[in-house]
């Protein structure tokens, strides 16, 4: 519950700082952070939801790696994204590595199939859990954000954002997503709360996004 509360606090802060409604914030979750993003999106709604390498539930992941421990019976922390995502009906984009050795690819497919709203599944052929995202995904994400904001799609980012991302974001963001953020415009960044496996501190990520503007 503490992690969920952190994410809600980050979204509240970002919305207040930018003078927008909390429901206008775009949520992005990477790995276990995707479970937090799904919880927020399903419970409160959001402008759009981006998931990368996200599992259906924590017991499902544990079952894949250590089935003899009976995790579906023993784990009390569940992060049940598969059940929750059915309650989210907004725009969704999911990316998942086909050879993900931590969270099997089938988790991403199951989340995609369970989602009720407009959705897109991006497969990273041969991609593992920590591999770079392919160029096709970066373009698709940029287009997804542009459509959410009602802006024309323009690929690419400027040098100022490149420097800012590397200066303020490197301590908490995976390298492959630093590269993705180079392609986002300032309007998108001002509405983006990111939760991921490295820091599990969405408030820090929200501050990083704000420093870009």
């Amino acid at each position: 519950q503490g992690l969920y509360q952190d994410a809600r606090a980050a979204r509240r802060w970002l919305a207040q700082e930018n003078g927008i409604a909390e429901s206008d914030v775009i949520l992005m979750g990477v790995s276990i952070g995707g479970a937090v993003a799904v919880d927020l999106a399903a419970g409160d709604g959001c402008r759009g939801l981006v998931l990368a390498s996200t599992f259906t539930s924590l017991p499902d992941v544990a079952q894949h790696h250590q089935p003899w421990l009976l995790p579906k019976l023993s784990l009390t922390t569940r992060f049940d994204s598969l059940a929750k995502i059915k309650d989210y009906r907004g725009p969704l984009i999911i990316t998942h590595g086909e050879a993900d050795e931590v969270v099997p690819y089938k988790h991403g497919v199951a989340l995609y199939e369970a989602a009720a709203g407009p959705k897109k599944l991006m497969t990273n052929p041969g991609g593992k859990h920590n591999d770079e995202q392919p160029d096709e995904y970066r373009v698709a994400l940029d287009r997804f954000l542009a459509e959410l904001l009602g802006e024309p799609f323009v690929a690419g980012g400027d040098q100022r954002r490149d420097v800012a991302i590397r200066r303020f974001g490197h301590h908490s963001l995976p390298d492959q997503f630093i590269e993705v953020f180079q392609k986002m415009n300032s309007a998108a960044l001002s509405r983006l709360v990111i939760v991921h496996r490295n820091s599990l501190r969405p408030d820090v990520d929200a501050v990083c996004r704000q420093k870009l503007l």
Side-chain angles (χ1 to χ4, degrees):
Q1 291 301 318
L3 188 53
Y4 292 147
Q5 291 170 4
D6 280 350
R8 286 189 170 84
R11 182 181 56 186
R12 187 180 312 115
W13 176 87
L14 191 65
Q16 291 173 352
E17 285 292 308
N18 290 280
I20 60 175
E22 290 187 36
S23 59
D24 278 338
V25 172
I26 301 164
L27 300 173
M28 181 177 195
V30 183
S31 192
I32 192 173
V36 181
V38 169
D39 181 80
L40 265 67
D44 307 322
C46 62
R47 186 73 168 266
L49 177 61
V50 182
L51 300 178
S53 307
T54 298
F55 50 70
T56 52
S57 74
L58 197 58
D60 286 345
V61 176
Q63 180 72 23
H64 172 76
H65 292 284
Q66 296 180 320
W68 56 88
L69 294 179
L70 302 177
K72 291 191 175 184
L73 297 176
S74 59
L75 276 179
T76 56
T77 301
R78 308 197 73 80
F79 288 110
D80 194 350
S81 296
L82 187 61
K84 294 176 182 178
I85 203 168
K86 298 173 184 177
D87 295 326
Y88 173 68
R89 299 183 178 276
L92 167 69
I93 185 169
I94 296 176
T95 179
H96 213 111
E98 203 171 30
D100 193 320
E101 77 284 15
V102 179
V103 180
Y105 175 70
K106 65 181 182 181
H107 287 244
V109 174
L111 289 171
Y112 171 78
E113 292 177 345
K119 55 191 176 181
K120 184 177 182 64
L121 174 63
M122 300 289 297
T123 299
N124 185 0
K128 295 186 177 182
H129 196 69
N130 295 316
D131 283 354
E132 276 192 24
Q133 296 294 329
D135 290 339
E136 292 81 3
Y137 168 72
R138 299 171 189 174
V139 173
L141 179 59
D142 207 30
R143 189 185 299 276
F144 177 78
L145 294 172
E147 290 174 353
L148 290 178
L149 298 173
E151 297 180 349
F153 167 65
V154 180
D158 59 38
Q159 187 64 26
R160 181 183 63 82
R161 289 202 302 277
D162 181 21
V163 172
I165 289 167
R166 294 191 178 279
R167 180 178 177 188
F168 295 111
H170 76 278
H171 68 285
S172 61
L173 294 176
D175 288 342
Q176 63 267 38
F177 285 96
I178 290 175
E179 295 179 11
V180 169
F181 297 139
Q182 293 171 16
K183 296 181 178 291
M184 295 183 187
N185 59 33
S186 294
L189 285 165
S190 70
R191 288 170 168 78
L192 191 64
V193 169
I194 305 148
V195 193
H196 58 83
R197 64 185 174 278
N198 288 355
S199 68
L200 298 184
R201 289 292 305 278
D203 53 324
V204 172
D205 293 331
V207 171
C208 291
R209 302 288 70 71
Q210 180 66 13
K211 286 176 183 268
L212 296 175
L213 306 178

